[in-house]
Amino acid sequence: ESIFVTRDPITRMLAEDARVKQAYPFVYNRDSGSEDQWMQFAKDDAYGDNYALRILAGKDCCNGANTDARHLENAKDLLRRFTFIIDIDCLDESLHAVADVLGIELAQ
């Protein structure tokens, strides 16, 4: 059995990350930052690309709107190998569901 845990891309992008905080300090003070700064942040491939796709399909996959569809298919093929795919926002509930399927009890 295998588990893949994923996260909403926007919350991942806005998570407390030292590299983001250094490059774009306004991200953590939601009342600051100009529209141009936010657009620069969103277009920065280091933070605004499809992180999950890049992790699943490899670093050379993501090229914005020009990303080859084969990379998406490769990522989907890889995900099909996992027994469970869990969203981290509902991790506790998901782990209980997995434990039920596997017939095990989780430690309290």
Side-chain angles (χ1 to χ4, degrees), residues 8 24-26 34 39 47 50 52-53 57 62 70 76 84 90 97 100:
D8 176 271
Y24 301 102
F26 63 87
S34 68
M39 288 305 295
Y47 309 108
N50 190 324
L53 180 59
C62 295
R70 70 184 163 89
K76 287 166 42 176
F84 304 99
C90 51
D100 286 346

Side-chain angles (χ1 to χ4, degrees), residues 12-13 41-51 54:
R12 186 204 65 81
M13 186 170 72
F41 172 62
K43 292 179 179 180
D44 187 333
D45 284 345
Y47 309 108
D49 73 339
N50 190 324
Y51 177 80
R54 180 167 37 92

Side-chain angles (χ1 to χ4, degrees), residues 76-104:
K76 287 166 42 176
D77 286 343
L78 178 59
L79 285 172
R80 285 185 193 100
R81 295 181 198 172
F82 287 90
T83 310
F84 304 99
I85 300 174
I86 296 174
D87 183 335
I88 200 158
D89 284 341
C90 51
L91 184 62
D92 288 342
E93 296 138 339
S94 297
L95 290 177
H96 283 9
V98 168
D100 286 346
V101 169
L102 297 176
I104 59 175

